[in-house]
């Protein structure tokens, strides 16, 4: 499977009908990520965590906990900066710094992670160049989930459940962390995302109840 775009169809990424994969971007994010790991454990589901290096550097123990729970770790850059996506060398170095942070956290010798997801899901020419040697973690359906606390936070579960039922499964993205902008960087902490674990619980309850399976992302993405 050679994919150099981020939005793909279920068939393009060889995901079997009735299969779903959940991916979580911008963490590790403290309490929200802990709660999320507990929910995933409860349902026996492995997910993919697209980690931001500067968050990994703050929370190495949590990064290790994600890895030890058997989830797939992907490189989501170190600084999560829009500007880096437009320059191959800058983006390459930023990914390398994230590799280093993740490998240090999990206690492995530094090596390039096989999977990455560009910040903002943007596939620029620099990202395409990187995708010649690393693989993009794709999605089949983007869900918008930037909200903090409001009635809108129930929407992502509804959208994902409806999409999975309509298209017989898919790869979805939610955010346990939130790297919105430079100025809001301090707002990335877990209190803002506390609704995410409940949403994930609802998705897993509904979709497993409807007979959907959540295969190990390692198996899905190595095809
Ligand atoms: Zn992101």
């Amino acid at each position: 499977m050679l994919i150099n775009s981020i939005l793909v169809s279920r068939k393009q990424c060889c995901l079997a009908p009735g299969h779903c994969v959940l991916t979580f971007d911008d963490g590790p994010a403290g309490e929200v990520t802990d709660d999320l790991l507990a929910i995933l454990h409860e349902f026996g589901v492995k997910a993919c965590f697209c980690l931001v290096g500067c968050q990994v550097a703050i929370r190495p123990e949590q990064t290790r906990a994600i890895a030890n729970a058997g989830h797939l770790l992907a490189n989501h850059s170190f600084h999560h900066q829009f500007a880096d996506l437009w320059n191959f060398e800058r983006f390459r170095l930023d990914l390398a710094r994230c590799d280093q942070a993740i490998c240090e956290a999990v206690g492995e010798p530094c090596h390039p992670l096989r999977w990455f997801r560009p910040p903002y899901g943007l596939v620029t020419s620099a990202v395409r160049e990187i995708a010649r040697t690393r693989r993009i973690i794709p999605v089949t359906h983007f869900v918008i989930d930037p909200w903090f606390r409001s009635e809108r936070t129930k929407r992502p579960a509804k959208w994902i459940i409806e999409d999975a039922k309509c298209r017989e499964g898919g790869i979805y993205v939610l955010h346990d962390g939130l790297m919105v902008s430079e100025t809001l960087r301090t707002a990335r902490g877990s209190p803002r995302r506390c609704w995410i674990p409940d949403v994930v619980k609802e998705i897993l309850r509904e979709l497993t109840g409807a007979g959907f399976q959540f295969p190990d992302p390692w198996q899905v993405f190595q095809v």
Side-chain angles (χ1 to χ4, degrees), residues 98-203:
C98 183
D99 287 333
Q100 190 177 4
I102 291 173
C103 289
E104 270 176 23
V106 301
E108 289 178 5
C110 188
H111 63 86
L113 267 69
R114 185 172 177 196
W115 290 276
F116 81 110
R117 175 175 280 164
Y120 311 102
L122 268 181
V123 181
T124 60
S125 57
V127 170
R128 260 188 221 103
E129 190 64 28
I130 295 287
R132 293 158 73 100
T133 54
R134 303 185 189 234
R135 295 168 68 171
I136 295 176
I137 296 283
V139 294
T140 59
H141 180 71
F142 273 113
V143 171
I144 300 167
D145 68 341
W147 306 295
F148 298 152
R149 289 170 194 256
S150 81
E151 75 292 342
R152 290 177 176 178
T153 59
K154 292 201 182 304
R155 294 180 188 180
K158 184 169 172 280
W159 289 337
I160 288 176
I161 291 163
E162 280 175 1
D163 183 81
K165 288 182 175 175
C166 173
R167 297 171 205 266
E168 297 183 85
I171 302 169
Y172 302 102
V173 55
L174 290 165
H175 294 75
D176 52 335
L178 195 60
M179 304 293 288
V180 232
S181 71
E182 297 296 305
T183 48
L184 279 177
R185 226 167 231 196
T186 51
R188 70 197 167 209
S190 54
R192 303 278 183 166
R193 312 298 289 158
C194 59
W195 55 276
I196 286 285
D198 283 345
V199 159
V200 171
K201 190 168 190 169
E202 194 181 335
I203 291 167

Side-chain angles (χ1 to χ4, degrees), residues 36-55:
L36 187 54
L37 289 172
I39 302 283
L40 293 169
H41 179 73
E42 184 186 329
F43 283 85
V45 166
K46 305 291 184 230
C48 171
F49 285 79
C50 299
L51 302 174
V52 176
C54 65
Q55 297 297 300

Side-chain angles (χ1 to χ4, degrees), residues 7-21:
L7 186 62
V8 299
S9 71
R10 186 176 54 71
K11 282 181 184 165
Q12 273 175 304
C13 60
C14 305
L15 187 68
H19 285 190
C20 296
V21 177

